[in-house]
C-alpha cells in the first residue's frame, strides 16, 4: 500500500474540524490568538481563564467570526489542583470529549536575582510551570481513555537563552522547565497515545506588550529586541497561530516531545 496515495488530503489533516479543544489563559494575549485560530480551523473550543469577563469578550469575538463554533467559557485558577481537575472534566463534558489542549497560562517579571524575594521566584514557577503540569496531567487522564490526544504547552525562547537587557532569571528558568517537562511527559504518555509538544514564541506584540512599548522603559528596550531579531520585528500574535493549529492537528501525529520555535530568527544569532 502506497501511503502517499492513500493518505487523507494534507489540508484535511491540518484541520481541527470536530476536535474538542481547551485553551487556558484564553482571556487575553497569546491565548486569545490561539482560541481564534482553533475556531477558524473548525475546533470546538473551551476557553478557560481566571477572568470571566475578559474571556466572554473573546467568546463573543469568536462567535462573530465563526458563528457555528461550539464554545464555552469556564473559570478556574489553574494553579489549584482541584480547580484544574474539575474544570478539565467540565470542559470535556461540555465539548463531548477532549482531543487537544493548550496550556498557555503564564506571567512575566523583570527583577535582578540579587533583589528578588523568594516569594517572587516561587510565584513564577507556580504560575508558569505548576499550571502546565496540573493541566497536562488532568488532560492526559481524560485523553488516555480513548488512546489519543494532543497537549501543547506554551514555552518561550527564554527557555533557551538569558534575555538581554532585562533581568528575568526566574522567568527563564520556568520556561526551561516547561521544555523539560514537555519532553518528559511525551515519553511517559506515548504509550497512551497522548502527544505532548510545545511552541516557543519570541517577544510578541500582545495588547499588554503594546502598552509597555509606549512607556519610557519600553521605548528603550524595543530597539535592542528588534536589533537581536534577524527579521527586524517583534512577532504578532497571529504569527503563532500556525504552529498552534499544526500541533493540534492530525498532520503532527508523529511528533511528540518537540518544540516549535517562532522567533523571527532570534535564536539563530
Amino acid at each position: 500500500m502506497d501511503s502517499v496515495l492513500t493518505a487523507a488530503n494534507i489540508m484535511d489533516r491540518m484541520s481541527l474540524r470536530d476536535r474538542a479543544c481547551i485553551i487556558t489563559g484564553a482571556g487575553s494575549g497569546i491565548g486569545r490568538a490561539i482560541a481564534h485560530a482553533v475556531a477558524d480551523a473548525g475546533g470546538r473550543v473551551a476557553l478557560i481563564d481566571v477572568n470571566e469577563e475578559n474571556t466572554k469578550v473573546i467568546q463573543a469575538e469568536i462567535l462573530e467570526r465563526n458563528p457555528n463554533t461550539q464554545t464555552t467559557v469556564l473559570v478556574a485558577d489553574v494553579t489549584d489542583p482541584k480547580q484544574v481537575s474539575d474544570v478539565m472534566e467540565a470542559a470535556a463534558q461540555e465539548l463531548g470529549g477532549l482531543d487537544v489542549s493548550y496550556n498557555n497560562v503564564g506571567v512575566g517579571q523583570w527583577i535582578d536575582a540579587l533583589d528578588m524575594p523568594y516569594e517572587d521566584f516561587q510565584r513564577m514557577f507556580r504560575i508558569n510551570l505548576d499550571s502546565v503540569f496540573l493541566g497536562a496531567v488532568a488532560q492526559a487522564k481524560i485523553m488516555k481513555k480513548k488512546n489519543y490526544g494532543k497537549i501543547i504547552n506554551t514555552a518561550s525562547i527564554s527557555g533557551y537563552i538569558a534575555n538581554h537587557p532585562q533581568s528575568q532569571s526566574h522567568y527563564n528558568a520556568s520556561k526551561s522547565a516547561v521544555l523539560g517537562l514537555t519532553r518528559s511527559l511525551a515519553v511517559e504518555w506515548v504509550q497512551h497515545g497522548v502527544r505532548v509538544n510545545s511552541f516557543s514564541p519570541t517577544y510578541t506584540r500582545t495588547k499588554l506588550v503594546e502598552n509597555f512599548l509606549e512607556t519610557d522603559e519600553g521605548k528603550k528596550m524595543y530597539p535592542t529586541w528588534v536589533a537581536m531579531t534577524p527579521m527586524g520585528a517583534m512577532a504578532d500574535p497571529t504569527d503563532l497561530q500556525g504552529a498552534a493549529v499544526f500541533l493540534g492537528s492530525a498532520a503532527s501525529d508523529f511528533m511528540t516531545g518537540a518544540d516549535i520555535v517562532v522567533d523571527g530568527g532570534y535564536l539563530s544569532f
Side-chain angles (χ1 to χ4, degrees):
M1 180 183 296
D2 188 335
S3 61
V4 174
L5 298 179
T6 58
N9 183 286
I10 185 59
M11 296 312 295
D12 290 335
R13 283 182 279 148
M14 288 287 289
S15 171
L16 298 181
R17 190 176 302 114
D18 297 325
R19 294 198 166 200
C21 307
I22 287 173
I23 302 100
T24 69
S28 62
I30 291 172
R32 171 176 176 257
I34 294 172
H36 273 284
V38 169
D40 282 356
R44 307 194 302 279
V45 187
L47 309 172
I48 299 174
D49 200 281
V50 73
N51 189 318
E52 183 176 22
E53 183 179 355
N54 282 3
T55 311
K56 284 189 173 180
V57 171
I58 309 308
Q59 181 186 37
E61 291 176 354
I62 289 171
L63 291 174
E64 182 175 358
R65 183 179 172 99
N66 292 286
N68 296 322
T69 299
Q70 181 184 348
T71 67
T72 185
V73 170
L74 298 167
V75 178
D77 174 356
V78 292
T79 67
D80 181 280
K82 187 174 189 309
Q83 288 191 44
V84 172
S85 179
D86 288 349
V87 80
M88 296 307 164
E89 289 288 349
Q93 186 171 2
E94 289 273 354
L95 298 177
L98 177 57
D99 302 299
V100 183
S101 61
Y102 298 88
N103 294 306
N104 176 70
V105 169
V107 295
Q109 182 191 30
W110 294 352
I111 184 171
D112 192 285
L114 291 174
D115 302 318
M116 187 189 303
Y118 180 48
E119 291 75 15
D120 286 13
F121 184 88
Q122 290 179 305
R123 176 177 178 270
M124 186 67 66
F125 271 76
R126 185 171 66 253
I127 296 174
N128 288 4
L129 181 64
D130 292 11
S131 67
V132 173
F133 174 77
L134 293 172
V137 168
Q139 294 147 12
K141 286 179 179 178
I142 299 169
M143 292 173 174
K144 76 173 189 175
K145 294 175 184 176
K146 64 176 183 179
N147 201 44
Y148 184 84
K150 298 292 194 76
I151 296 174
I152 299 102
N153 302 322
T154 301
S156 171
I157 62 165
S158 299
Y160 293 93
I161 63 172
N163 294 71
H164 177 78
Q166 70 275 24
S167 298
Q168 53 181 52
S169 60
H170 53 344
Y171 178 84
N172 297 349
S174 72
K175 289 301 184 176
S176 293
V178 169
L179 292 170
L181 179 64
T182 296
R183 290 191 296 269
S184 298
L185 298 181
V187 173
E188 285 190 29
W189 296 342
V190 69
Q191 63 182 311
H192 302 302
V194 177
R195 286 81 165 166
V196 189
N197 295 293
S198 62
F199 66 96
S200 287
T202 187
Y203 300 104
T204 303
R205 282 183 173 273
T206 61
K207 184 177 180 181
L208 185 66
V209 172
E210 286 280 7
N211 292 340
F212 169 72
L213 292 177
E214 294 300 317
T215 68
D216 289 341
E217 188 176 18
K219 290 174 182 176
K220 290 179 187 176
M221 293 285 187
Y222 179 73
T224 300
W225 293 346
V226 170
M228 296 176 75
T229 305
M231 292 188 76
M234 295 175 67
D236 186 86
T238 57
D239 292 322
L240 312 177
Q241 291 177 316
V245 170
F246 170 66
L247 288 174
S249 74
S252 62
D253 274 358
F254 200 62
M255 288 179 63
T256 197
D259 182 61
I260 295 180
V261 175
V262 187
D263 71 343
Y266 191 105
L267 296 186
S268 299
F269 265 9

